Amino acid sequence: MKYIKKKRVFERIVQKSSKVIVSALLLSVIGIQSSHVLARSIVDETVDNSIKHETRNEQTQVQYKELDQYLQDTVSKLHIPGLAIGVTNKEEILFSSTYGTCDSVDDPFILGSLSKPITAMAIMQLVDQGLIDLENDITCYLDDMEFERKITVNQLLNHTSGLGTYDNLVRYRVTNQYGKFSFANVNYMLLGKIIEKVTKQSYEEYIQKTIFEPYQMKSSAASIKQSNVNGLLPGYSNFFGVPIQTKGKRPKDGHCFSYPSGYLSSSVTDLSTFIQIYLQNDALNSKAKLDFLQSMQLVDEKSQEFYANGFYISSKSQEIMHVTGLVENYMSYMSILPQEELGVVLLWNMNDYFVSNEAMKSVCESINQLLGGEKIDPISSTTYVVKPGFIDLVCICLLVIAIHPVLRIRKYQGNQSRTKDQTMMELAYHAALPTALLM
């Protein structure tokens, strides 16, 4: 009997043990399968992300290839001697290239109004240090100058001082545009003088020590002499549709202190670094950034475009901070797209009031659209032909009209008796026709 009881107990133990073992095995299998499912999902997600990343990279490369081709066509069709471009995010340059006579992305160009954001950054650094108050009357710093009304540092930064478009440091007056946006280079000439007064250094020395050197902007300069040392690319002007190398007018101290407003020089490499400073919010403290945002001045109510510290700020299809520069024989463009965390800088060494300047504005807009993922139209092959051709034709006609009477002077001297109708025809020929052509 004892044996039978022991046997039954053993059988129950075996049954229970079997159930436990089977349960354990089932749990193990489920666990392994779950692990495999989890591992598979992680792998799938990683692969998916990798594919997406590769796809984005492929799309980006296609964009840059398209951009490169677009700029090659632009340089050819608009007869631009040399051009350079840089596209950057907040950490690195994503794309850069040169065209025409520009051999290196480190070649410097004269910047025009791209100088203004650099001057504005210098001013805001001094605001950070408590050496400048944006709401102070500028005569607090420039005690040797007088103005009809109080002008603040902030008004200089945002072109609301009322000073005239063609004013300089010798001849200036406050106009009826006081308090409204009215672009005038003299505002930034005065900011350059304020920097010199406050820091007791030359503008060139201060910009070099506080912006160019700390941020490794090695091709940048605040004087023509240093610009030439850095290898300044020669500038061109347009004469009857032909780019001709010209020296242009260079700024002189006193009468026209133009470096702070338009004559700094830099390269696409250095300006890409400058854009990164903005994208990283690395240049100013929180108070100065707040001052920047609060100081935005409305430029155009219809388009809702603003201006602040050297930049126009618009938000048609996307928010863009942008500035265009222009001097006698150089042009430039910079845009910062905060939402995309991208910046673009474009430099070229020609000024052409007839065609290229206007055409390049649409080129810059097209570049922003392309980088934003939009399709763009190629630049027209007739853009540069039609208008210069028409202007050349008008000039030839005027030249013929001017020379024709000289060729006919002998005949005219031999025929002194003229009717009233002939006299009227001569007047129409020599006065009315040239006037109509010029109009």
Side-chain angles (χ1 to χ4, degrees):
M1 290 291 292
K2 286 182 180 181
Y3 172 75
I4 293 170
K5 286 180 181 179
K6 286 181 180 179
K7 185 178 179 183
R8 286 175 180 171
V9 170
F10 179 74
E11 286 174 352
R12 282 197 297 270
I13 292 170
V14 170
Q15 286 174 354
K16 288 181 178 180
S17 299
S18 299
K19 288 178 181 179
V20 170
I21 292 167
V22 170
S23 299
L25 286 170
L26 285 171
L27 288 171
S28 300
V29 171
I30 292 169
I32 291 168
Q33 288 178 339
S34 299
S35 299
H36 280 306
V37 171
L38 179 62
R40 193 181 299 113
S41 67
I42 291 170
V43 170
D44 288 345
E45 186 178 351
T46 303
V47 170
D48 189 45
N49 287 338
S50 178
I51 291 170
K52 286 179 180 177
H53 182 68
E54 288 177 5
T55 303
R56 280 196 299 269
N57 282 343
E58 288 173 3
Q59 290 172 345
T60 302
Q61 291 306 315
V62 169
Q63 279 181 338
Y64 291 146
K65 187 175 180 181
E66 189 177 344
L67 174 59
D68 182 54
Q69 185 60 54
Y70 178 73
L71 289 174
Q72 287 183 44
D73 292 343
T74 297
V75 168
S76 174
K77 291 174 181 177
L78 296 183
H79 297 195
I80 295 172
L83 181 145
I85 186 173
V87 181
T88 184
N89 62 17
K90 63 182 180 180
E91 294 172 350
E92 61 180 341
I93 296 175
L94 303 174
F95 172 79
S96 63
S97 188
T98 62
Y99 307 87
T101 60
C102 183
D103 297 322
S104 169
V105 290
D106 294 317
D107 285 346
F109 296 69
I110 301 295
L111 299 183
S113 282
L114 263 67
S115 305
K116 290 179 175 69
I118 297 174
T119 298
M121 180 178 285
I123 288 288
M124 297 308 288
Q125 286 177 343
L126 294 170
V127 171
D128 280 356
Q129 299 166 28
L131 297 176
I132 290 178
D133 188 323
L134 291 177
E135 298 308 317
N136 269 358
D137 190 321
I138 62 173
T139 55
C140 294
Y141 311 106
L142 305 174
D143 52 10
D144 57 338
M145 301 184 77
E146 293 182 1
F147 300 89
E148 295 90 336
R149 302 183 68 168
K150 175 186 175 181
I151 297 175
T152 67
V153 177
N154 194 47
Q155 286 178 311
L156 294 181
L157 282 168
N158 299 324
H159 296 295
T160 57
S161 66
L163 294 172
T165 302
Y166 302 104
D167 286 358
N168 55 51
L169 297 179
V170 175
R171 187 186 69 255
Y172 53 85
R173 68 182 184 86
V174 177
T175 68
N176 58 6
Q177 292 297 306
Y178 180 83
K180 301 175 184 177
F181 178 85
S182 180
F183 186 89
N185 283 317
V186 69
N187 290 314
Y188 276 75
M189 295 179 200
L190 289 166
L191 288 171
K193 287 298 182 185
I194 289 172
I195 289 171
E196 291 190 332
K197 286 280 188 176
V198 168
T199 64
K200 295 180 173 56
Q201 301 177 59
S202 70
Y203 174 82
E204 177 186 359
E205 186 180 4
Y206 182 78
I207 293 295
Q208 190 69 37
K209 286 183 177 179
T210 62
I211 295 179
F212 293 161
E213 288 179 5
Y215 293 107
Q216 298 294 303
M217 296 171 69
K218 297 178 181 178
S219 299
S220 302
S223 71
I224 292 298
K225 182 180 179 181
Q226 187 58 46
S227 297
N228 289 327
V229 170
N230 292 344
L232 179 67
L233 211 63
Y236 289 75
S237 297
N238 184 296
F239 288 93
F240 299 100
V242 180
I244 303 295
Q245 186 173 323
T246 56
K247 288 186 178 181
K249 296 177 181 178
R250 298 308 185 210
K252 297 177 181 179
D253 287 346
H255 182 69
C256 188
F257 182 49
S258 295
Y259 293 106
S261 64
Y263 279 87
L264 297 182
S265 66
S266 192
S267 64
V268 293
T269 300
D270 286 1
L271 291 174
S272 295
T273 300
F274 184 76
I275 290 172
Q276 289 169 5
I277 297 169
Y278 266 90
L279 290 174
Q280 294 168 359
N281 292 317
D282 190 37
L284 307 171
N285 65 21
S286 56
K287 182 183 180 303
K289 290 170 191 170
L290 183 63
D291 288 337
F292 177 90
L293 293 171
Q294 290 178 340
S295 68
M296 288 198 304
Q297 178 65 36
L298 183 64
V299 176
D300 186 350
E301 190 170 351
K302 186 176 180 181
S303 66
Q304 284 297 294
E305 186 170 53
F306 294 83
Y307 188 93
N309 293 20
F311 283 104
Y312 289 91
I313 302 162
S314 59
S315 55
K316 292 178 182 177
S317 57
Q318 57 183 328
E319 184 180 331
I320 298 177
M321 298 169 59
H322 63 97
V323 56
T324 301
L326 167 67
V327 292
E328 297 82 5
N329 43 13
Y330 296 88
M331 281 195 73
S332 57
Y333 176 79
M334 178 191 289
S335 66
I336 298 176
L337 292 74
Q339 294 172 346
E340 301 285 339
E341 292 191 335
L342 281 177
V344 180
V345 59
L346 198 65
L347 306 174
W348 61 101
N349 62 336
M350 187 174 75
N351 178 0
D352 171 15
Y353 285 104
F354 291 124
V355 180
S356 298
N357 293 4
E358 192 62 35
M360 285 305 290
K361 290 179 182 178
S362 63
V363 167
C364 296
E365 289 176 4
S366 295
I367 290 171
N368 288 329
Q369 290 170 355
L370 180 61
L371 294 175
E374 300 177 36
K375 289 292 182 182
I376 59 172
D377 296 324
I379 192 162
S380 172
S381 57
T382 61
T383 300
Y384 200 85
V385 176
V386 176
K387 196 169 182 179
F390 174 74
I391 292 169
D392 288 351
L393 181 61
V394 169
C395 290
I396 290 170
C397 289
L398 290 172
L399 183 63
V400 170
I401 291 170
I403 293 174
H404 187 249
V406 177
L407 299 176
R408 295 181 65 227
I409 194 164
R410 286 182 179 273
K411 185 177 180 181
Y412 180 80
Q413 287 174 340
N415 184 17
Q416 294 295 327
S417 59
R418 307 180 66 79
T419 65
K420 186 177 180 181
D421 289 342
Q422 287 176 324
T423 304
M424 294 301 294
M425 286 294 292
E426 288 290 336
L427 285 172
Y429 181 70
H430 292 293
L433 183 58
T435 302
L437 285 171
L438 287 172
M439 290 173 67

